[in-house]
Amino acid sequence: MSLNEEVELLRNIPLFANIEPSKLKLLAFTSERLTFRAGETVCRQGDVGDAAYVIMDGTADVIVDTPSGPLTVAHMGKNDVVGEIAVLIDVPRTATITAQSELTTLRISKDLFFRLVNEFPQMAVEMMRVLAERVVKTTADLQKARQQGQG
Amino acid sequence: MESTIYRFIIRYSLRQQIILTIMAGLSFPFLYALYEVPKIIINKGISAKGIEYPTDIFGIELTQIQYLLALCGLFLVLVVINQAFKYVINVYRGLTGERMLRRLRFQLYFRLLRFPLPTFRKMSQGEIIPMITQEVETLGGFIGDAFSLPAFQGGTLLVILGFLLVQDPVMAAAAVALYPLQAFLIPRLQRQVNLLGKERVRLVRRLSDRIGETVQGVQEVHAHDTSALMLSDFSHRMSSIFFVRFDIYQKKFVIKFLNNFIQQLGPFFFYSIGGYLVITGSLEIGTLVAAIAAHKDMAAPWKELLTYYQQKEDARIKYEQVIEQFSPSGIAEDGFDVPHVTEVPPLSEQIVVSNLGMVDEQDNPFIEGVSLQLKLPSFVALVGPSGSGREELALALARLRQPDSGSIRIGDIDLANADSAMTGRRISYVGPSGFIFNTTLGDNLFYSLRHLPLGEPERDETMEQAHKRYVQEAIRSGNSPDDITSDWTDYAAAGATDYSSLVARGLQALAIVSLDQDVYQFGLRSTIDPVAHPDWAEAILKARESFARHVASNESYAGMIEPFDVERYNSNATLAENLMFGTPTDETFDINRLAENPYVLEVLEEAGLTRTLLENGYEVATLMVELFADLPPDHEFFQQYSFIAADDLEDFQSLVTRVKRDRLDDLKPEERTRLLSLPFKLIQARHRLGVISDETMASIVTARKIFAEKLPDDLKGKVAFFDVDSYNAASNIQDNILFGRIAYGQAQASDKIGALVGEVVAELDLYDTITSVGLGFEVGIAGTRLNVGQRQKLALARAIIKRPDLLIISEATAALDSATQQKIMASVLEEFKGRSVVWSLHRPKDAKAFDHVVVLQGGRIVEQGPFQDLDRDGSAYRQLIAAS
């Protein structure tokens, strides 16, 4: 896959949708493309987060360690961004991400990610939107869980 | 050392000075003759006064012409003789001066090594270096002149004066009449210049000290934005120096002015008084003219004498100022050689510290009344808060600090008077910042074994001659005659018999301090010379085979490495590597200059690639301009990612807008070169620019064959080709094992491949070999190519390898994480079973592993004893642990 194809792909990702193509090209050029095989770990819960990953192809499992053992909480696929939380705030990785099939990603280093957010306010807004959506979803899940608990 | 420069000169070069003076004396008759002969030529030869022709000289009859020619011939011979004297005297004077300079520098350096250690807290590098290097430089020249110049020039002056006296005593007296005035005035003025000269030396020393400090502290300057402060400070110092120098100039030129004035007063008197006397008829005009000529002749040696006087004063001051600095109190005043002690008895069984006291510069005590009895061998822990005196006690035990009161005795030897051979070989001390020298890691490791030259190296005829000459000269200037190329390593001290067993011991020491893995990694990244080490090369080739077998047989490595294949383009290697299919051995085929290399251009032309690569270059340039044009020039992306330096981007930008892709033929030659140089650095899999097509790759595979086949003889050896059956001397060991490139974009490829290399290395028992290659790693200035932890480990390994009876450690592992500290402590104590260790502990908890624990507080021992005795409720030791 060449740079231009990567740029096309990045443009379809909401987070990057508003960034001009030449900047996306720079993002793609300065990021490392990394392929994981099925079963390989992208990042491990508790590790220090040094990069975010854009999934360009394949699927991944998001697994959280719980007292009762590992629990798969989500599946990620093409155009999803993973690992950005630990990059944004200095917390250890909140989940383990494992490649479910062969997984092609673009690894965006912490430095680069921050620089992008700084340079492109649109990206920050988009990040906020994605995170807010997640909060809404988590809250809904929590409520559902509570109701189930009470019921 | 000798307190004045004349004492120094007389003590070490009396013979040479006498020879020089005698030579000067011997030259005078010829000099006199040189003045006499022209007179005879004019009077007898030309004017034929008092002689009749033909005349009889030594029984040979000569006509006037013949006589004249004979005299002229004699004159020529005298000129040659006089110049020959000058030449011989000058050479011998230079030789004497250089030998004395060499001796002086050696003595200063020798004393530097003997300075009591606290001296270095008051004296900085920046002051010491210029003293030994440039300040004494001019002394060499002066020392050669010290006696011979006044003898020679003074003699010359006397000869001319004598000649004048014989001609006309009155005129002779007139010619020198003003000399006393000069001799009276000049020294008085010179004294002021001398004082200023002293001041200048002092200021320049401080300046160089300041510059040295800036270099060392430049990080702080950047971190706190203090450039303006530093510049102002520098400017002020320069200003002081400027005004001192300006003063010196003014005074110097006043002296010069007076000198010249007085010199010219001579003719003034000759013309006025002599003229008056001639007119009144009491003086002949011929005598007056002769007197003026003689006065002129005397001017040169007289001037030389005055200059000599100024130089003498300058040298005297410089010498005294340097010697003053190199005579700190407490320095031993005996000889300038190091006794070659080969046998040092082991340390006795007991160390007794009695009533030890040490004070700082303000006489505040930091160790007071410390008394200890240590039975050896044992492990002793010194614990206490920082400032408790445990570090100073450790230093005192290693004799790196002299106690101010009390004593330390080892057996019946007082440590203060102990031979440095004993303390330096039976005791090892490692502090928090062991110094790492700018050489290889191995040299740093074995440094502690190099006390003496052991055995003579093998020398062929020419080397033997050179060595003899070296020794002869070294002795003549009181330098060390020891041959630096001898083997200095004391194998026996390390428990080894030869170099290879020493390396084995070195690797053990590295393992004890957990540095072996790092050195193994350095080894992997080092190149070796397969001609010098055919066995290593062979073993690494075996590793290459084995590695390839593992990769081929194990599915999990698939796609992680792309081996070199002469028939295939390697998309994880640069285009340049693909074209040459090898590694350049020097700068001939340097990747940055390939586009200028005529042979490369020839090959590209033949393969029909020139146009394609030019287009590729154009595309790369366009892309770079597109990607990087908006970034500020100091953006780190330029360094990390761009093919084009920030400074050049603008040029490329105008190039790609001016010239269209299909008009590349219009490019100027230098623009072609610039564009053509871009694609060579492309790594297809990494950069993903997609500019190199499959056809281009195929053409490059063809071109690489042309490149290899047609390589002219003078370029052979400039590229080490990739050949699966031979060792590539230009590539490092790891690349030789891989024989390919780790694939980009494969997660964990580099870890997995590294692990596989480790397996192969273990399987073929190559770990020690590669680690020993890592001993050749150049550590950089003060070891800066190593990290702080590695430096500490290396310093510790260096102390361990000489197998001291007593190892003293003071915070020598402080830069490491606590798990590593624990590990190293355990392995060091294991290694030193049966010998002694004194460890000044950062964390008191670690004292558990020691036989005897000494708790210090405020410079006093508050508690000591076996660990289990101290580890009880209410003990000072427990309190210390609670506090830490």
Side-chain angles (χ1 to χ4, degrees):
Chain A
M1 196 187 299
S2 80
L3 209 57
N4 286 332
E5 293 166 304
E6 285 170 14
V7 173
E8 274 314 303
L9 215 142
L10 285 174
R11 286 180 67 173
N12 293 328
I13 298 173
L15 189 58
F16 304 114
N18 291 323
I19 300 180
E20 47 188 294
S22 73
K23 289 295 159 199
L24 279 185
K25 212 174 211 178
L26 183 64
L27 171 70
F29 183 62
T30 51
S31 298
E32 190 183 355
R33 198 177 59 197
L34 219 45
T35 309
F36 296 86
R37 302 185 189 179
E40 278 183 345
T41 307
V42 178
C43 62
R44 201 176 296 278
Q45 186 175 349
D47 282 358
V48 181
D50 56 351
Y53 298 84
V54 177
I55 298 179
M56 301 170 73
D57 199 17
T59 52
D61 290 335
V62 180
I63 303 162
V64 177
D65 282 335
T66 64
S68 50
L71 180 72
T72 304
V73 292
H75 297 286
M76 296 289 201
K78 193 170 169 175
N79 292 359
D80 281 335
V81 180
V82 297
E84 78 281 20
I85 305 267
V87 170
L88 274 179
I89 49 173
D90 270 327
V91 291
R93 294 282 190 205
T94 51
T96 299
I97 296 166
T98 309
Q100 201 185 21
S101 60
E102 183 161 299
L103 186 71
T104 309
T105 64
L106 199 63
R107 181 182 180 278
I108 305 174
S109 70
K110 187 173 175 171
D111 280 356
L112 185 62
F113 196 82
F114 259 113
R115 206 184 315 258
L116 284 170
V117 173
N118 272 329
E119 280 179 33
F120 301 104
Q122 315 96 299
M123 205 175 135
V125 172
E126 185 56 35
M127 289 271 343
M128 264 159 48
R129 199 183 59 74
V130 171
L131 292 176
E133 267 174 12
R134 271 194 215 162
V135 173
V136 170
K137 184 175 175 288
T138 315
T139 317
D141 284 354
L142 191 68
Q143 253 169 5
K144 217 185 283 170
R146 276 214 185 128
Q147 276 163 4
Q148 276 169 2
Q150 282 163 359
Chain B
M1 280 181 84
E2 286 63 35
S3 56
T4 70
I5 189 161
Y6 276 99
R7 287 206 185 133
F8 180 73
I9 293 170
I10 289 173
R11 168 146 184 203
Y12 295 111
S13 68
L14 185 60
R15 212 171 73 100
Q16 284 81 354
Q17 300 293 348
I18 290 175
I19 291 174
L20 276 170
T21 313
I22 288 175
M23 282 203 285
L26 284 178
S27 71
F28 292 140
F30 298 97
L31 186 67
Y32 189 86
L34 195 63
Y35 283 99
E36 189 64 29
V37 169
K39 206 183 87 188
I40 300 175
I41 291 177
I42 292 172
N43 288 346
K44 294 189 176 173
I46 299 170
S47 313
K49 273 188 200 160
I51 189 166
E52 277 186 30
Y53 294 104
T55 184
D56 189 72
I57 303 289
F58 304 122
I60 304 164
E61 208 160 88
L62 296 172
T63 64
Q64 184 174 6
I65 300 292
Q66 282 171 330
Y67 185 67
L68 177 70
L69 289 179
L71 281 175
C72 288
L74 179 65
F75 177 74
L76 205 60
V77 169
L78 283 171
V79 168
V80 171
I81 290 176
N82 268 293
Q83 291 308 316
F85 261 110
K86 267 195 185 151
Y87 173 77
V88 172
I89 290 174
N90 277 334
V91 168
Y92 195 69
R93 193 173 59 190
L95 182 70
T96 308
E98 288 308 315
R99 278 191 190 142
M100 290 293 278
L101 178 62
R102 183 174 170 184
R103 179 187 295 272
L104 180 60
R105 283 194 171 135
F106 182 82
Q107 292 194 355
L108 293 177
Y109 185 71
F110 186 92
R111 290 173 77 86
L112 180 69
L113 294 179
R114 284 216 172 169
F115 277 0
L117 293 175
T119 315
F120 291 102
R121 268 180 278 165
K122 286 174 259 162
M123 233 171 138
S124 73
Q125 261 190 39
E127 289 177 302
I128 295 173
I129 296 167
M131 280 194 252
I132 303 185
T133 53
Q134 74 210 18
E135 281 185 32
V136 296
E137 181 88 43
T138 49
L139 295 185
F142 172 74
I143 289 171
D145 284 342
F147 291 98
S148 66
L149 191 132
F152 183 75
Q153 299 295 354
T156 309
L157 198 66
L158 287 178
V159 167
I160 299 173
L161 195 61
F163 175 77
L164 262 185
L165 269 175
V166 174
Q167 308 308 310
D168 188 338
V170 181
M171 274 298 116
V176 297
L178 291 166
Y179 284 8
L181 181 66
Q182 270 171 301
F184 172 79
L185 268 179
I186 305 304
R188 271 157 190 75
L189 289 165
Q190 182 64 36
R191 209 162 296 149
Q192 296 177 20
V193 175
N194 292 349
L195 285 177
L196 287 169
K198 266 191 182 182
E199 176 70 9
R200 187 189 61 190
V201 168
R202 204 178 55 81
L203 286 173
V204 171
R205 268 184 206 165
R206 294 239 303 262
L207 181 77
S208 59
D209 178 34
R210 189 67 183 168
I211 296 171
E213 225 177 35
T214 309
V215 171
Q216 284 178 336
V218 72
Q219 240 178 34
E220 302 302 318
V221 176
H222 288 290
H224 305 299
D225 184 29
T226 50
S227 309
L229 178 75
M230 301 303 279
L231 286 172
S232 166
D233 177 88
F234 191 74
S235 184
H236 275 82
R237 285 167 199 273
M238 298 294 286
S239 157
S240 315
I241 294 174
F242 170 82
F243 284 112
V244 167
R245 288 186 71 103
F246 187 55
D247 261 12
I248 292 179
Y249 275 116
Q250 281 180 319
K251 296 224 156 70
K252 262 196 177 165
F253 287 125
V254 166
I255 296 179
K256 206 167 182 181
F257 170 80
L258 273 178
N259 257 333
N260 289 340
F261 178 70
I262 297 172
Q263 195 68 34
Q264 296 303 319
L265 269 184
F268 169 77
F269 286 128
F270 286 134
Y271 292 136
S272 54
I273 302 173
Y276 174 79
L277 290 177
V278 170
I279 292 168
T280 54
S282 44
L283 192 71
E284 270 182 49
I285 178 95
T287 319
L288 181 63
V289 172
I292 292 172
H295 181 265
K296 219 172 162 187
D297 272 347
M298 286 162 77
W302 179 241
K303 210 171 170 183
E304 289 276 339
L305 281 177
L306 288 174
T307 319
Y308 167 79
Y309 173 74
Q310 284 183 322
Q311 272 178 358
K312 185 201 86 164
E313 287 303 296
D314 199 42
R316 182 178 66 83
I317 294 166
K318 274 192 179 147
Y319 181 84
E320 281 164 20
Q321 272 186 316
V322 170
I323 294 305
E324 193 190 332
Q325 291 297 316
F326 278 79
S327 307
S329 62
I331 190 167
E333 282 290 349
D334 52 340
F336 289 99
D337 53 359
V338 177
H340 285 188
V341 182
T342 45
E343 288 294 321
V344 184
L347 286 192
S348 136
E349 288 170 1
Q350 182 165 256
I351 298 182
V352 181
V353 179
S354 37
N355 212 12
L356 195 74
M358 287 197 269
V359 294
D360 64 13
E361 262 114 84
Q362 279 83 43
D363 282 343
N364 298 319
F366 45 70
I367 290 248
E368 259 181 302
V370 165
S371 295
L372 262 178
Q373 274 202 18
L374 304 173
K375 288 256 179 262
L376 302 187
S378 68
F379 295 162
V380 181
L382 306 178
V383 297
S386 68
S388 61
R390 60 182 161 87
E391 285 148 51
E392 285 77 12
L393 180 57
L395 280 168
L397 284 170
R399 209 189 52 180
L400 294 173
R401 261 199 96 128
Q402 293 292 346
D404 295 295
S405 59
S407 69
I408 301 175
R409 303 183 74 85
I410 299 182
D412 46 8
I413 302 166
D414 185 348
L415 195 62
N417 307 322
D419 193 355
S420 58
M422 181 194 106
T423 54
R425 297 185 210 177
R426 293 296 175 185
I427 302 176
S428 262
Y429 171 86
V430 206
S433 50
F435 189 80
I436 305 297
F437 295 93
N438 182 8
T439 168
T440 63
L441 198 141
D443 277 340
N444 269 294
L445 177 61
F446 300 134
Y447 184 75
S448 62
L449 299 170
R450 292 173 181 164
H451 315 290
L452 303 173
L454 299 165
E456 296 279 301
E458 276 187 30
R459 304 186 187 100
D460 60 24
E461 190 68 20
T462 43
M463 283 161 76
E464 187 62 43
Q465 295 246 321
H467 175 67
K468 268 197 183 132
R469 199 186 146 132
Y470 168 77
V471 172
Q472 210 174 30
E473 266 307 319
I475 289 171
R476 278 182 184 151
S477 22
N479 275 218
S480 156
D482 293 340
D483 188 352
I484 192 75
T485 60
S486 305
D487 195 346
W488 285 70
T489 310
D490 186 353
Y491 299 115
T497 50
D498 55 7
Y499 187 71
S500 62
S501 57
L502 176 73
V503 167
R505 286 281 307 137
L507 300 189
Q508 279 172 26
L510 292 176
I512 291 172
V513 299
S514 308
L515 190 61
D516 54 331
Q517 264 293 330
D518 303 43
V519 181
Y520 162 75
Q521 290 296 337
F522 294 145
L524 272 184
R525 280 166 189 74
S526 304
T527 55
I528 59 162
D529 179 2
V531 181
H533 303 285
D535 47 335
W536 292 357
E538 201 181 321
I540 291 164
L541 284 178
K542 283 214 181 86
R544 178 188 292 180
E545 274 171 42
S546 164
F547 176 80
R549 261 202 314 276
H550 276 94
V551 169
S553 63
N554 191 330
E555 184 57 30
S556 69
Y557 296 117
M560 287 201 169
I561 186 142
E562 186 175 6
F564 294 124
D565 180 346
V566 75
E567 298 297 340
R568 288 179 44 147
Y569 189 91
N570 190 317
S571 59
N572 286 291
T574 61
L575 194 148
E577 282 172 311
N578 270 295
L579 175 65
M580 290 186 278
F581 201 62
T583 319
T585 55
D586 63 9
E587 69 283 357
T588 315
F589 288 113
D590 183 83
I591 191 161
N592 291 308
R593 293 173 48 197
L594 276 187
E596 298 159 38
N597 188 301
Y599 180 65
V600 170
L601 294 177
E602 202 182 300
V603 171
L604 291 182
E605 195 60 42
E606 188 168 340
L609 268 167
T610 315
R611 176 77 195 188
T612 321
L613 286 193
L614 205 55
E615 282 171 10
N616 291 157
Y618 184 83
E619 280 169 62
V620 172
T622 318
L623 263 167
M624 290 301 128
V625 168
E626 181 189 345
L627 290 178
F628 291 98
D630 297 344
L631 293 182
D634 55 348
H635 204 287
E636 62 186 273
F637 278 5
F638 278 108
Q639 272 224 319
Q640 277 181 295
Y641 301 105
S642 179
F643 282 63
I644 298 173
D647 299 339
D648 298 337
L649 196 72
E650 214 168 295
D651 294 348
F652 278 102
Q653 195 163 12
S654 71
L655 197 155
V656 295
T657 34
R658 189 162 45 79
V659 184
K660 293 287 149 244
R661 191 167 190 265
D662 46 0
R663 301 296 301 275
L664 289 177
D665 294 331
D666 300 348
L667 288 172
K668 291 183 211 141
E670 69 267 21
E671 290 174 334
R672 271 174 74 91
T673 309
R674 293 188 101 169
L675 279 189
L676 204 53
S677 71
L678 292 177
F680 284 116
K681 289 177 210 163
L682 271 181
I683 299 171
Q684 180 76 352
R686 178 180 162 202
H687 296 115
R688 321 186 298 279
L689 293 181
V691 293
I692 303 174
S693 66
D694 292 348
E695 297 84 65
T696 312
M697 291 189 210
S699 308
I700 284 173
V701 170
T702 319
R704 79 164 58 137
K705 288 175 187 158
I706 302 173
F707 184 94
E709 268 166 32
K710 302 212 165 160
L711 194 67
D713 285 343
D714 60 325
L715 292 178
K716 284 205 168 101
K718 303 287 185 191
V719 176
F721 290 111
F722 297 133
D723 171 7
V724 75
D725 295 321
S726 61
Y727 188 85
N728 188 319
S731 300
N732 65 36
I733 292 179
Q734 172 159 297
D735 285 347
N736 265 291
I737 296 177
L738 298 184
F739 196 68
R741 291 277 177 260
I742 296 177
Y744 284 95
Q746 295 290 321
Q748 290 141 23
S750 140
D751 292 348
K752 282 189 181 162
I753 294 294
L756 179 59
V757 169
E759 266 174 51
V760 169
V761 162
E763 179 188 296
L764 293 171
D765 209 9
L766 270 172
Y767 183 79
D768 283 359
T769 307
I770 294 174
T771 312
S772 67
V773 172
L775 291 178
F777 179 75
E778 289 284 343
V779 297
I781 296 167
T784 38
R785 292 182 66 197
L786 303 176
N787 63 37
V788 184
Q790 287 169 334
R791 271 179 257 165
Q792 285 203 331
K793 288 172 176 178
L794 181 55
L796 193 55
R798 170 162 75 197
I800 290 170
I801 193 154
K802 77 176 181 191
R803 298 195 307 166
D805 295 339
L806 170 61
L807 174 65
I808 300 170
I809 298 177
S810 179
E811 313 241 332
T813 53
L816 307 170
D817 61 83
S818 72
T820 315
Q821 284 192 25
Q822 301 281 343
K823 194 176 152 203
I824 293 177
M825 179 178 289
S827 50
V828 167
L829 293 183
E830 173 66 31
E831 166 74 14
F832 274 75
K833 260 189 187 150
R835 289 181 282 156
S836 306
V837 177
V838 172
W839 204 313
S840 162
L841 290 173
H842 189 56
R843 286 173 314 171
K845 266 188 192 161
D846 296 337
K848 199 170 178 180
F850 291 79
D851 306 326
H852 190 85
V853 181
V854 178
V855 185
L856 288 123
Q857 236 157 45
R860 293 174 178 278
I861 295 180
V862 289
E863 207 173 67
Q864 60 172 314
F867 175 77
Q868 51 275 19
D869 291 5
L870 265 52
D871 192 31
R872 57 183 158 71
D873 285 342
S875 68
Y877 175 70
R878 277 283 176 87
Q879 283 169 13
L880 193 61
I881 287 184
S884 65

